[in-house]
Amino acid sequence: MGLSRATLGFTGLFFMAASILLIFLTLLGGANNSNPLNKIYFMEAETGNIPGAPPLSRWTFWNLCGVSNGNNACGDTHADFPLDPPSHRNFNTTQNVPHQFIGTNHYFLTSRFMFPFIIIGLFFAVCSFFTGMLAICTRVAGYLSGFLAWIALTFQIITTCLMTAVFVQGRNAFNSNGQASHLGVKAFAFMWTASVCEFLSCLLYCLGGAVGRKDTSSGYSGRKERRRGFFSSLRPNSVKSQKKEGTNYA
């Protein structure tokens, strides 16, 4: 027995809601020091030998944070905070900073582009969530929700790939300089899981739109055959009547 449009639409709505929650947690990680946002970060590195830097540094969307009792210890927030250790935005020095960060804008630009892409993707995800409420009962809303989910998924994948590329490279740079570094497991798990949820939501919305679609071509061909049978049934009677009239006139 096939799944109904309501079941597919509701399941797609569930996955979209899950992805929005995970994206919000990642986006707001480091925005303040409350739980669970103080546990979410992209990368942690030992920076105690860099002048003016804390012993451990964590990068988030909002700040370069220290670490206290295993949690983020963030100060003032700045939206779209970049990974750029030598600049004034991070440590404002090149002393003991890995050479891979010096003389390049690669890390700065890649990490800065993450923020607008995640905001755009989140906008379309929220739109898809609200139209998904109608996808439970209408086919058009199912296709519309699937289209919006596809746009959200595109920007979500771009953001996640940028995040993975820049912070994996940053981690390797710190490790090669003798400064132990590792990625934030929660942020990466949330972002990749959100991408999978949006893909499943897009698929389920489109399947929900396809459920119950009538084959109009078969109906049209059936009506055509019935009309053809009706006229063919009339044709012999008309011929017989003409022959009968001809006989009488003779």
Side-chain angles (χ1 to χ4, degrees):
M1 181 177 179
L3 295 174
S4 66
R5 179 183 299 127
T7 302
L8 292 169
F10 179 79
T11 309
L13 190 68
F14 171 80
F15 280 115
M16 183 56 67
S19 70
I20 292 173
L21 175 62
L22 294 174
I23 293 170
F24 265 117
L25 287 174
T26 307
L27 177 63
L28 297 178
N32 59 53
N33 295 324
S34 61
N35 188 39
L37 302 181
N38 60 355
K39 301 179 184 299
I40 301 171
Y41 58 93
F42 296 123
M43 185 182 71
E44 177 184 295
E46 292 182 354
T47 54
N49 60 345
I50 299 177
L56 291 174
S57 297
R58 289 178 175 177
W59 280 264
T60 69
F61 268 125
W62 302 94
N63 208 340
L64 176 62
C65 305
V67 180
S68 176
N69 298 323
N71 299 322
N72 300 344
C74 303
D76 296 335
T77 57
H78 308 274
D80 201 5
F81 196 84
L83 171 64
D84 193 18
S87 74
H88 67 279
R89 301 175 184 87
N90 287 190
F91 304 130
N92 197 27
T93 182
T94 59
Q95 184 177 344
N96 295 326
V97 171
H99 67 88
Q100 291 91 335
F101 294 109
I102 300 173
T104 178
N105 289 324
H106 165 68
Y107 297 92
F108 170 77
L109 293 175
T110 306
S111 58
R112 286 295 287 265
F113 272 108
M114 290 167 48
F115 192 80
F117 281 132
I118 195 174
I119 294 297
I120 296 172
L122 185 59
F123 169 78
F124 283 103
V126 172
C127 291
S128 178
F129 174 78
F130 284 111
T131 58
M133 296 179 182
L134 299 176
I136 297 175
C137 52
T138 64
R139 183 163 59 90
V140 175
Y143 285 129
L144 177 60
S145 300
F147 176 70
L148 293 172
W150 177 78
I151 298 176
L153 174 63
T154 301
F155 285 99
Q156 174 65 15
I157 290 177
I158 293 173
T159 304
T160 307
C161 289
L162 289 175
M163 179 190 74
T164 303
V166 70
F167 285 105
V168 167
Q169 292 174 348
R171 177 203 61 183
N172 295 341
F174 276 108
N175 286 334
S176 66
N177 199 44
Q179 298 160 294
S181 176
H182 64 269
L183 302 175
V185 176
K186 292 182 177 63
F188 278 80
F190 290 168
M191 289 294 282
W192 281 110
T193 304
S195 300
V196 175
C197 287
E198 287 188 355
F199 170 76
L200 293 175
S201 179
C202 179
L203 182 64
L204 290 167
Y205 280 145
C206 292
L207 289 175
V211 167
R213 183 178 182 180
K214 296 181 179 180
D215 188 357
T216 57
S217 62
S218 61
Y220 173 76
S221 61
R223 291 193 298 271
K224 185 176 181 181
E225 288 296 329
R226 287 194 295 270
R227 288 198 299 269
R228 183 181 300 171
F230 174 76
F231 287 112
S232 62
S233 64
L234 293 178
R235 190 176 297 112
N237 294 331
S238 61
V239 172
K240 289 180 181 179
S241 61
Q242 290 177 2
K243 289 182 178 180
K244 185 176 180 179
E245 291 175 359
T247 304
N248 292 336
Y249 285 126

